[in-house]
Amino acid sequence: MKISQPRKLYIPAMIIVAVVLTLLVFIGFSTYRHLNHARSDALKFLHQRGVATIAIIETSIRSIWGIGASKEESIDQLISEIGKNEYVAYAYMVNKEYEILHHSNHLLTQSTGLGLWLNQMPDAKQISSRIITLSDGTKVYELAETIRPLSLHRLQDSEDFLKYNGGIIVVGLSMATYETAQQQDFHHAIVMLSILAILGGGAFFFIFVIHQYHRMNYRLRDTQEYTRQVVDSMANGLLSIDDSGRVLSYNNLSLEILGLTRAEIQQLDLRKVIDFQASGISQTLNQCSAILDREISIAQHNGEQWPLSISVTPILAAEGACQGAVIILRDLREIKLLEERLLRTEKLAALGKLSAAVAHEIRNPLSSIRGFAKFLSHALKDRPKDREYADVMVKEVDRINRVVTDLLNFARPLEPEPEYVNPAGLIDHTLRLVEGDAQSRGITIDVDTQNSPSRVYLDPDQITHVLLNLVLNALQALDSGQSMNVGVALDADLSAVSFWVEDDGPGIEKDHIKKIFDPFFTKREKGTGLGLAIVQKIVENHHGKVQVVTPLQGKTHGCRFVVSIPMDLEARL
Ligand SMILES: Nc1ncnc2c1ncn2[C@@H]1O[C@H](COP(=O)(O)OP(=O)(O)O)[C@@H](O)[C@H]1O
Ligand SMILES: [Mg+2]
């Protein structure tokens, strides 16, 4: 299963977050500036309006004075008319002692601290302005101007005028429109910021979701990898198949056991490798029942049959139907070998005991018979024909003796007495013993000791005995003009040294291969059937193994015996 790269998903989310953050900064800054500008613009406007109003009041007062009518009443009227304007909160006039001369309405009582404020002004001639908050929370932009004496110069001596001299006109302008505008601006900014915040939050949530997805993905891959490792580390072959028999998953060992490559197992029909009927896989798929430890054998590419134990358990779908099966394959080769060896050992032990007893019983009378035969031969020296019979008796008794010696050799425990020796030397020594025989029969012997190690730890007498047995068997299998190859080499993985004896004789029949190591199995008239049994025993005592290849690779005849002795024998013994 392939998992898409979630990292790419981060990019659009990151871009959104970046854009939102930039917009936030930008809009925040521009809103602030806009609010500030709007505020100063509105104040400027209010100020101008205030200045204009004061100018109107001043001009009107001047003209009222000029008319000469009831001045105070007219000014009173003027001020209250001005106060009726919707943008004017109040207007009033005070004398220089800040006593009220005229006023528009009650609101002016809240215009407190006038004297204190104006006294702080640097230039009394100028128009002063301030913002004050009334008790009901409304804000008022207040302007104040000292009545200019110059403008009233004609009346300087009048008593009325003296009252006004140094007086102050105060106008309070309502800031309601200004405040609503500002509030609207503020609301607008809040809405914008909220939208951005939601957008940013969304993007962050998106990133969070991707992050979670990424983490889960990672964990999933982790778990998958872990499961794969566990399955691959299993000591058994594991396969899962669907209900049509197609392989869905497998571990390395299953490939090894079935002798398939990864590409092969994915394409090939498993029925061609495993007999579904015999193994019970068909039964599991059809009836949803499990099969436990059934023994089957599977043919390998080299024609070898591997004994396997197979267990098949159904994979149940939610509705209880069988949607496939899990197959566990156990390689039984080792166990079978051990079983065989155990059986052999038991057989050999019983046989050994029997042989030893029999041999012992035979030996004593044999020496008497041999003695008599020798005596006869001596006594019949004048009758050569009869003497020949006596000599045949001696020879045959000697042969029986050899068999008995072999038998006793075989029955004895034969503990190796190893030392470091040159293996090529052992081969030379062995071949010297059979040289004459081989030459007389016209058989050539090739020797290959090129890749031999110089020293190997083994029992030289016993291994010579092994080599001699193998070489004699080969010689016996060969006809004149045929050849034999004997050699020794260090294995490629340096773990063992291998001796081999190869001949191009007829080879061994398939049915006999398993039996040739059994004691007393022989196909030769004069054979004892003990040669290979002894070979096997000696090699096993050296922790080694004997292998037979017959016919030779790529041929229809010939036979090759390979004896491997471990290089670390000293540590093992
Ligand atoms: N190189 C060989 N070529 C053909 N057959 C062989 C070879 N080596 C052994 N055999 C077969 O294995 C049998 C058992 O051999 P062995 O145990 O040495 O007993 P023996 O030599 O006394 O028959 C032989 O009788 C022979 O049939
Ligand atoms: Mg033999």
Side-chain angles (χ1 to χ4, degrees), residues 296-518:
I296 56 167
S297 67
I298 283 188
Q300 298 292 315
H301 285 308
N302 59 5
E304 223 179 293
Q305 289 281 338
W306 282 20
L308 298 182
S309 148
I310 185 168
S311 296
V312 192
T313 38
I315 303 172
L316 298 177
E319 326 80 69
C322 184
Q323 61 174 9
V326 174
I327 302 174
I328 295 176
L329 298 170
R330 204 147 52 87
D331 183 357
L332 294 183
R333 281 177 306 162
E334 195 87 4
I335 291 177
K336 289 278 171 200
L337 262 172
L338 280 175
E339 273 177 8
E340 267 172 35
R341 198 176 289 176
L342 193 71
L343 205 72
R344 252 177 60 86
T345 317
E346 277 173 4
K347 251 175 26 187
L348 291 187
L351 227 127
K353 261 188 200 162
L354 187 77
S355 328
V358 172
H360 196 67
E361 289 303 314
I362 292 175
R363 254 203 177 164
N364 292 341
L366 262 187
S367 46
S368 317
I369 294 172
R370 194 177 190 275
F372 287 128
K374 269 272 181 204
F375 169 75
L376 261 181
S377 161
H378 188 70
L380 293 172
K381 64 177 173 219
D382 302 330
R383 292 157 62 183
K385 261 230 162 119
D386 293 339
R387 186 186 173 169
E388 224 169 84
Y389 292 127
D391 283 344
V392 169
M393 272 174 73
V394 173
K395 258 194 209 160
E396 288 303 296
V397 167
D398 279 346
R399 205 167 78 82
I400 296 176
N401 228 334
R402 270 204 308 280
V403 174
V404 170
T405 311
D406 263 1
L407 209 59
L408 282 175
N409 262 344
F410 170 68
R412 258 195 282 132
L414 277 178
E415 272 305 314
E417 287 170 13
E419 56 188 278
Y420 278 99
V421 290
N422 180 358
L426 294 185
I427 290 185
D428 280 350
H429 176 65
T430 310
L431 292 183
R432 220 168 293 138
L433 295 176
V434 298
E435 223 168 29
D437 193 21
Q439 247 166 26
S440 66
R441 292 184 48 209
I443 292 165
T444 48
I445 303 180
D446 302 322
V447 184
D448 178 2
T449 54
Q450 268 181 56
N451 300 322
S452 165
S454 57
R455 272 156 42 94
V456 177
Y457 193 67
L458 45 74
D459 183 325
D461 287 339
Q462 288 188 5
I463 296 300
T464 307
H465 196 63
V466 164
L467 292 173
L468 191 62
N469 268 332
L470 296 178
V471 170
L472 283 178
N473 279 355
L475 272 179
Q476 284 152 6
L478 290 175
D479 278 334
S480 172
Q482 290 182 311
S483 66
M484 182 195 322
N485 178 295
V486 184
V488 59
L490 188 61
D491 283 8
D493 63 1
L494 311 180
S495 65
V497 60
S498 288
F499 296 89
W500 70 87
V501 177
E502 185 180 305
D503 64 70
D504 53 5
I508 303 167
E509 276 176 58
K510 225 178 170 187
D511 292 349
H512 294 161
I513 294 176
K514 277 200 159 178
K515 300 182 192 157
I516 54 174
F517 292 101
D518 287 349

Side-chain angles (χ1 to χ4, degrees), residues 473-474 476-477 503 507-508 516 521-524 527-532 559 561:
N473 279 355
Q476 284 152 6
D503 64 70
I508 303 167
I516 54 174
F521 176 84
T522 178
K523 292 302 268 175
R524 290 188 301 112
T528 61
L530 285 172
L532 288 178
C559 177
F561 281 84

Side-chain angles (χ1 to χ4, degrees), residues 72 94-96 101 158-167:
E72 288 204 22
V94 291
N95 63 15
K96 59 182 169 199
L101 302 174
S158 127
E159 211 174 291
D160 273 349
F161 171 74
L162 286 177
K163 195 162 79 182
Y164 289 96
N165 193 17

Side-chain angles (χ1 to χ4, degrees), residues 34 95 119 200 246 298 310 325 347 352 535 540:
H34 177 74
N95 63 15
N119 281 339
R246 207 164 60 87
I298 283 188
I310 185 168
K347 251 175 26 187
V535 165
E540 270 176 13

